[in-house]
């Protein structure tokens, strides 16, 4: 399954013919200034509701994480580090990964989650019945159900804007081009160059996250340049799409079901004897 | 810069990507520090000492740009014998009048044959010291937003820079005590870090490289604010970084178009284009005004043309040569009438009415309590704002109502609230820090009763004029004679903003749009609402609305918006070429002299007389532009030079000096003089100051607090605290403290703390963070407390306003409040409620022995 | 800030690696939005499915009383189960949207179709026995329900296993057996509870087999996952799981020993039912716990990555 997905593009797999190139994000956290313009632009454009007024004490992050009402989330990490006499303040804007192998989409029982012609993953709000399966399936903890309307919500990669030839709102608002939007192939190339540049400049801690088509989700449509391990940013270090195991899971479930049938028979039959 | 100017910061990030080194100097580790190459923590209020140290280093190590300094600055100019420096007078300059707290600048002069009296004399003809003091206070310094002050044009010089009284030598002596050790002691910056900054700055300056300084309120909001920028200016001149691409000193400005509102000012002491507001003493008629404000050399020599054209724009046909072009219609200053003096005038009952157009002094202005007490003493108050800000509601739920000091029924002020349109609901221009005007178009008409400020002002004027139409009283003439016709558009009768721009641009006698300020005349045949903006509507085209993408034009991008003056992107860019008119280096070429064409050419619009060759030398006695020599890049300065020493224009000294803030836990290590001697103090029982340095009681306030902005909020909060999308990003007022201070004072992360000064006490949630570091200052550990000042009692996220704590001790040139460095105490827990709050403050005052006199010594 | 870097406790039950990092100790994954409805659904679905199988067996082997009870029980359980499922939806009115598509990649889709096919059969079967009408159709329905019942009981294991929730996904091998075991225990329990001991022989045996399967699956799970089975051992889930095990053992014991006493046998049945339910809640809680603490997500992934040298 993994191998096929790698070779093929997800939009085509989903039945889109003559589709545009797969679009995505390369978020270069090394130039993020934590301005949160992306968060606000996303909410403005998509009319996502406010998400609570909690002072968290997590540095300047009072958003806490992605969720049904937060589709871009800027993480702030104050850590002892090599820079500035031992203090480093990492900032990173997180978003739905628009996985090549998207668990949320796989498990959605209503078909509300769908693959667009751009290779992105969106929820059709008018279809979603709020079963919540996608929430537990996403290996990145992205999608969530919104209590106020019972539906699941997440980044759409601004499907409506893409359709109109516009850039997603968050990328448009990002002043430093930390969020780069474009055809995934180009982004991967650019990201490779950027990492090489940083390595040349002695910043060996720079690494890409989610760009590898061989990773556990077949490569993310939104990938990142990080300056520390993914878990530091609240990202899973080695996520694997759950449905890769599904054939085996079904097999065991089948055997178990058969065993139950057998057991029932055995229980009845053996008693007669 | 990343915090408050994130959009502009993209260019810093771009520069960084191209190899620039970014250094951030700030008491707090901010979002800017996070992406900077070097971060230097500094004690708040110590920047002059730091920059002075760099100057000293540059002079000692002879790393200054010698040709540039010699040719383009006043380094070689010789000063008169009367001048005495802080070196001689233990921290003050000659001319200090201690009685009336002002400087006479007669002694800060160039030595020179037939020197005309320095400008100070000319604008302060009155001999009575208290009158001169008041004139001084009326900010003559601010009149130089677009150029220099008067000074003699033909001073004596010594090109060897050896003369003991030449500026260069004076400078050397003045800054000699700013050693790395002193920097360490005063600023809390280690000598290694300081040396590193010196090295980076000097290595990156010279023919091939330039360094830019970017500052904002961290330098300005001090009783020494203007002098702090001066220190940077001296350094940049020494390093040859002015007038050159990639150089300069960039003031990051505030509200959208705050630059525009100094160009076409909302300031009491200026007329458009930095023409000084006439003073009641000394500017009796147009001639005396012009004589006083005009310099001999350079473009300020044409002051009369600018002024007459302005008067023609305002009073049109009514302005004639016979009536001095209605010069008498202009109001006159009698002293400083800054926003803070206005509060005092409210408290003493002289000021009875108040318009607040987009300002929220009840939380945003220093000593917010006094602001409210002042407003409570008015007859009427008009607030035009988009939301119900604290300045509109203090009478029913303000802090004084909470403490029981005031009762709503007893407040006599009649408060009017008029909803204002937002910038998206109106057309107009923004002028940014680059002096660039960019036009914005109305996207939607304002909803409901909301109207633009232009609408309000225009229709208010129209109605007043209708009411006065039959008046024969002379006092109404200035209003009735105004040119007040603008085309109205749309269903709301919105005046056409572009018509206003056209008037600002100006026209000639045939009503043809002007294209350059050099066309302005003093005979009344031209009208121009703001001379420096002349050309923004050249050819009847709104040049500010140009939006040609950067990729489609040169790197200077002259067709994006329009920059004053004359669409120049780099001021004084003659300095980008050497004295012979050749670029200092290919890499840094901007404009140069083209021998064949006989003109200055290049990437930018030359900021020089286009056909004046480098070798041109004016004849003795020439005046105005004709007196500018081929090597005088600073064409607005009276001597055409960049001023290392400022012989005029500043009320608190010709050279910057480190003084301690009004309230400081430290004595001034450098001089016996603790404070800026001419800082502006506003004495009032509600504005008591704390003891400083070694004074008894100073230890009651052992910490330094500074205030700042968060990216997520805007100023007084009217535009952010009321918006859920922004409020949720920073949902509570907090203070930032180091882990060490938290331990020392028992403060808990996310708990509450109360911060106290002699004015009030406020509470904030605690963020303990390594981003705030204790500093070693004068042999002891100093803790600083960071406080963002956006909160107030109204809105979606609420909290105490920092400005309850702030005093009114002002910078004497521009009257800015000192809210960037203040001594305070901090304790765990919430502040008292009700009358107990005032009681706590009283007890603190008592403990520190504070009286009305405390902190007011010269 | 305080809990920026958590450290894994060195206790012997804990994951051995020295350190793991997280973002302020916050969960990496989203906690399930499912509430008590879902473990109830798992339990009831299991009860129904296994009961249908038992009913068919009982009918064929001449235990009509047991068969009737099991059919009625299955119908009742599946009705409640469906109610729970619908109730748990964020938008219950849109339950039918589940039937827009059939997706083999979604156990919930597969399950919904299964249940949709199964529920009418189970109800038909029950209606026919209770009303003693349409015996032929009743027979067909019973046969159909019996055929689908085990699948209904088993698919819920895939439902949980096919998530990113570590405790569920990691248990994917054992969970199906654990669930059918639990279903069998429940079905047996119901038989014991409702039917005279004399007539409940198959129920006792099914319960015994079920309990044995359940307990062995739990053992296997614990052994195979090793330290990563911690969420099943500790906290609420641990308590529930142990309670479930005790109830299963006690219930089976009582069922085997108390064959002659109606009261003991009924009590045994109730205990088994309770045991099955508690076990479902235990598994559900283990999943929640494994998401709440980021170490269960980060730790194994980090180890995997480090082992790969990445
Ligand atoms: N997001 C946002 N942007 C804004 C605004 C806003 O409210 N919010 N306001 C706008 C306005 S009106 C203005 S004027 C500008 C202001 O822009 P800035 O001047 O950048 O704003 P501040 O945050 O007030 O102060 C800047 C920095 O000065 C530091 N500082 C304090 N004291 C000292 C000191 O003594 N020395 C040094 N070196 N640094 C010190 C503070 O820690 C702070 O990081 O921003 C504009 N942009
Ligand atoms: N402690 C401390 N105090 C400070 C500072 C500091 O750094 N520290 N900084 C100072 C600085 S630099 C500044 S600029 C001031 C800012 O303080 P204020 O000048 O009081 O400015 P704001 O709070 O921004 O208030 C502007 C109001 O204008 C409204 N508004 C917006 N657009 C329009 C419009 O088009 N028309 C009208 N009529 N209203 C509009 C907004 O809703 C808002 O309420 O605060 C100063 N005070
Ligand atoms: S990150 Fe999660 S929500 Fe986004 S596509 Fe992947 S599985 Fe779906
Ligand atoms: S909650 Fe909505 S989007 Fe998510 S799996 Fe269920 S139906 Fe699909
Ligand atoms: S792409 Fe659109 S929906 Fe997704 S985070 Fe950006 S702005 Fe929000
Ligand atoms: S807009 Fe760009 S720079 Fe700002 S927080 Fe988002 S990603 Fe970072
Ligand atoms: S708010 Fe406006 S002026 Fe300020 S940084 Fe953003 S875009 Fe620029
Ligand atoms: Mo400002």
């Amino acid at each position: 399954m993994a191998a096929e997905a790698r070779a093929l593009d997800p939009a085509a797999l989903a039945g889109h013919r003559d589709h545009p190139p797969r679009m995505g994000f390369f978020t270069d956290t090394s130039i993020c200034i934590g301005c949160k313009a992306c968060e606000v632009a996303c909410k403005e454009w998509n009319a996502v509701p406010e998400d609570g007024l909690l002072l968290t004490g997590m540095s300047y992050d009072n958003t806490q994480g992605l969720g049904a009402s937060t589709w871009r989330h800027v993480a702030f990490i104050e850590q002892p580090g090599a820079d500035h006499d031992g203090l480093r303040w990492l900032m990173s804007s997180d978003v739905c990964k628009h996985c090549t192998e998207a668990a949320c989409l796989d498990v959605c029982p209503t078909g509300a989650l769908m693959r667009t012609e751009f290779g992105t993953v969106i929820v059709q709000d008018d279809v979603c019945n709020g079963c919540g399966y996608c929430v537990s399936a996403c290996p990145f903890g992205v999608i969530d159900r919104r209590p106020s309307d019972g539906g699941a919500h997440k980044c759409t990669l601004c499907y409506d804007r893409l359709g109109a030839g516009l850039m997603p709102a968050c990328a448009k608002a990002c002043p430093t081009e930390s969020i780069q939007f474009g055809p995934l192939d180009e982004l991967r190339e650019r990201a490779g160059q950027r990492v090489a540049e940083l390595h040349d400049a002695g910043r060996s801690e720079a690494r890409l996250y989610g760009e590898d088509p061989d990773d556990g989700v077949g490569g993310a449509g939104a990938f990142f340049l990080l300056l520390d391990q993914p878990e530091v940013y609240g990202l899973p270090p080695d996520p694997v799409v759950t449905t890769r195991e599904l054939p085996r899971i079904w097999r065991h479930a089948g055997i178990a079901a058969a065993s139950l049938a057998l057991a029932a028979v055995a229980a009845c039959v053996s008693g007669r004897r | 810069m990343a915090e408050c100017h994130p959009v502009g910061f993209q260019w810093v990030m771009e520069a960084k990507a191209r190899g620039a080194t970014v250094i951030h100097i700030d008491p707090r580790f901010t979002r800017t520090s996070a992406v900077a190459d070097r971060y230097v923590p500094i004690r708040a209020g110590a920047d002059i000492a730091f920059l002075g140290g760099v100057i000293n280093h540059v002079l000692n190590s002879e790393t200054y740009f010698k040709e540039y300094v010699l040719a383009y600055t006043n380094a070689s100019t010789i000063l008169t014998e009367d001048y005495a420096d802080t070196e001689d007078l233990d921290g003050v300059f000659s001319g200090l009048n201690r009685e009336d707290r002002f400087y006479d600048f007669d002694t800060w002069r160039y030595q020179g044959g037939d020197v005309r009296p320095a400008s100070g004399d000319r604008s302060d003809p009155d001999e009575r010291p208290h009158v001169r003091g008041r004139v001084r206070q009326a900010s003559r310094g601010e009149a130089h937003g677009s150029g220099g002050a008067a000074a003699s044009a033909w001073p004596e010089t010594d090109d060897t820079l050896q003369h003991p009284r030449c500026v260069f030598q004076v400078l050397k002596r003045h800054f000699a005590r700013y050693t790395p050790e002193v920097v360490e002691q005063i600023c809390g910056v280690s000598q290694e870090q300081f040396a590193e900054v010196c090295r980076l700055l000097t290595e990156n300056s010279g023919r091939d490289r330039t360094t830019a300084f970017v500052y904002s309120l961290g330098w300005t909001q001090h009783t020494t604010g203007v002098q702090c920028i001066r220190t940077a200016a001296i350094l940049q001149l020494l390093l040859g970084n002015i007038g050159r691409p990639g150089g300069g000193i960039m003031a990051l400005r505030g509200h959208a178009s705050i630059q525009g509102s100094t160009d076409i000012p909302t300031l009491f002491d200026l007329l458009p284009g930095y023409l000084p507001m006439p003073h009641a003493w000394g500017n009796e008629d147009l001639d005396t005004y012009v004589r006083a404000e005009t310099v001999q050399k350079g473009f300020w020599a044409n002051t009369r043309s600018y002024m007459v054209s302005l008067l023609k724009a305002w009073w049109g046909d009514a302005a004639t040569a016979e009536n001095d072009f209605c010069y008498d219609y202009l109001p006159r200053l009698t002293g400083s009438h800054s926003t803070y003096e206005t509060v005092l005038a409210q408290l003493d009952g002289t000021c009875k009415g108040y318009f607040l157009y987009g300002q929220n002094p009840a939380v945003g202005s220093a000593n917010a309590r006094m602001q409210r007490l002042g407003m409570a003493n008015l007859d009427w108050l008009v607030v035009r704002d988009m939301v119900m800000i604290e300045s509109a509601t203090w009478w029913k739920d303000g802090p004084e109502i909470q403490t029981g000091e005031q009762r709503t029924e007893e407040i006599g002020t009649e408060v009017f609230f008029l909803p204002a349109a937002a910038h998206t609901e109106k057309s107009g221009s923004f002028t940014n820090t680059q002096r660039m005007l960019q036009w914005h178009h109305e996207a939607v008409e304002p909803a409901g009763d909301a109207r633009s400020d232009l609408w309000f002002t225009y229709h208010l004027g129209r109605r007043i004029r209708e009411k006065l139409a039959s008046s024969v009283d002379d006092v109404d003439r200035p209003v009735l004679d105004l040119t007040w016709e603008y085309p109205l558009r749309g269903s709301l009768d919105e005046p056409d903003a572009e018509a206003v721009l056209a008037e600002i641009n100006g026209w000639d006698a045939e009503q043809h749009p002007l294209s350059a300020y050099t066309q302005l005349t003093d005979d009344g045949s031209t009208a121009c609402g703001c001379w420096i903006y002349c050309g923004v509507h050249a050819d009847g085209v709104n040049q500010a609305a140009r939006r040609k993408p950067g990729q489609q034009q040169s790197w200077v991008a002259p067709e994006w918006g329009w920059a004053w003056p004359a669409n120049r992107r780099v001021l004084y860019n003659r300095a980008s070429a050497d004295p012979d008119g050749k670029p200092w280096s290919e890499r840094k070429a901007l404009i140069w002299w083209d021998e064949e064409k006989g003109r200055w050419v290049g990437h930018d619009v030359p900021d020089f007389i286009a056909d004046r060759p480098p070798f041109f030398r004016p004849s003795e006695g020439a005046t105005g532009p004709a007196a500018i020599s081929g090597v005088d890049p600073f064409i607005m300065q009276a001597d055409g030079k960049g001023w290392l020493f400022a012989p005029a224009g500043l009320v608190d000294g010709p050279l910057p000096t480190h003084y301690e803030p009004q309230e400081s836990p430290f004595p001034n290590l450098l001089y016996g003089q603790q404070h800026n001697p001419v800082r502006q103090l506003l004495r009032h029982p509600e504005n008591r100051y704390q003891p400083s340095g070694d004074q008894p009681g100073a230890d009651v306030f052992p910490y330094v607090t500074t205030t700042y902005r968060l990216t997520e909020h805007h100023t007084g909060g009217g535009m952010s605290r009321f918006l859920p999308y922004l409020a949720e990003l920073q949902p509570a007022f907090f203070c930032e403290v180091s882990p060490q201070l938290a331990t020392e004072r028992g403060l808990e992360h996310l708990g509450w703390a109360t911060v106290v000064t002699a004015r009030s006490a406020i509470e904030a949630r605690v963020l303990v963070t390594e981003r705030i570091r204790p500093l070693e200052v004068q042999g002891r550990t100093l803790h600083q407390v960071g406080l963002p000042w956006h909160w107030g009692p109204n809105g979606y996220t609420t909290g105490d306003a920092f400005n309850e704590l702030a005093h009114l001790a002002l910078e004497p040139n521009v009257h800015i409040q000192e809210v960037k460095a203040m001594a305070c105490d901090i304790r765990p827990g919430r502040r008292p409620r009700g009358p107990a709050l005032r009681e706590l403050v009283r007890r603190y005052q008592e403990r520190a022995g504070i009286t009305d006199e405390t902190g007011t010594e010269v | 800030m305080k809990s920026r870097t958590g450290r894994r406790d060195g206790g012997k039950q804990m994951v051995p690696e020295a350190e793991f990092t997280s973002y302020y100790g916050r969960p990496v994954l989203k906690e399930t939005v499912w509430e008590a409805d879902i473990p109830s659904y798992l339990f009831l679905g299991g009860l129904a499915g296994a009961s249908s199988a038992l009913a068919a067996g009982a009918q064929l082997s001449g235990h009509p009383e047991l068969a009737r009870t099991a059919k009625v029980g299955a119908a009742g359980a599946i009705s409640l189960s469906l109610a729970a499922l619908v109730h748990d939806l964020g938008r219950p009115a849109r339950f039918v949207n589940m039937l827009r598509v059939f997706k083999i990649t979604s156990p919930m889709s597969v399950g919904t179709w299964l249940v949709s096919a199964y529920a009418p059969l189970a109800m038909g079967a029950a209606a026919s026995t209770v009303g003693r009408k349409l015996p032929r159709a009743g027979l067909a329905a019973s046969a159909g329900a019996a055929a689908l019942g085990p699948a209904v009981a088993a698919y819920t294991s895939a439902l949980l296993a096919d998530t990113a929730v570590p405790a569920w996904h990691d248990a994917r091998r054992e969970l199906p057996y654990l669930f059918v075991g639990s279903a069998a225990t429940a079905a047996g329990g119901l038989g014991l509870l409702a039917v005279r001991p004399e007539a409940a022989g198959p129920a006792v045996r099914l319960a015994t087999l079920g309990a044995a399967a359940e307990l062995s699956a739990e053992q296997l799970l614990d052994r195979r996952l090793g330290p990563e089975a911690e969420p099943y051992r500790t906290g609420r889930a641990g308590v529930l799981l142990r309670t479930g095990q005790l109830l299963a053992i006690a219930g089976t014991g009582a069922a085997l020993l108390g064959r002659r006493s109606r009261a003991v046998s009924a009590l045994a049945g109730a205990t088994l039912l309770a045991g099955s339910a508690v076990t479902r809640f235990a598994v559900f809680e283990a999943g929640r716990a494994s998401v709440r603490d980021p170490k269960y997500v980060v730790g194994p992934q980090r180890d995997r990555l480090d082992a790969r040298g990445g």
Side-chain angles (χ1 to χ4, degrees), chain A residues 104-105 107-113 122-124 127-135 143-145 150-153, chain C residues 33 89 91 97-98 108:
Chain A
C104 61
L105 189 153
V107 305
C108 175
T110 62
L113 274 155
I122 65 165
V123 189
Q124 301 169 85
V127 176
C128 169
N129 68 8
C131 73
Y133 202 5
C134 51
V135 176
I143 195 166
D144 205 356
R145 201 164 77 180
H153 301 272
Chain C
V33 293
L89 294 179
R91 293 160 169 174
N97 282 9
M98 299 272 203
M108 192 180 281

Side-chain angles (χ1 to χ4, degrees), chain B residues 72 574 577-584 591-594 600 614 630-631:
Chain B
Y72 297 158
R574 161 69 183 88
D578 68 14
D580 295 337
K582 293 201 237 350
W584 289 107
I591 69 153
W592 53 89
W593 175 253
D594 186 324
W600 289 93
V631 288

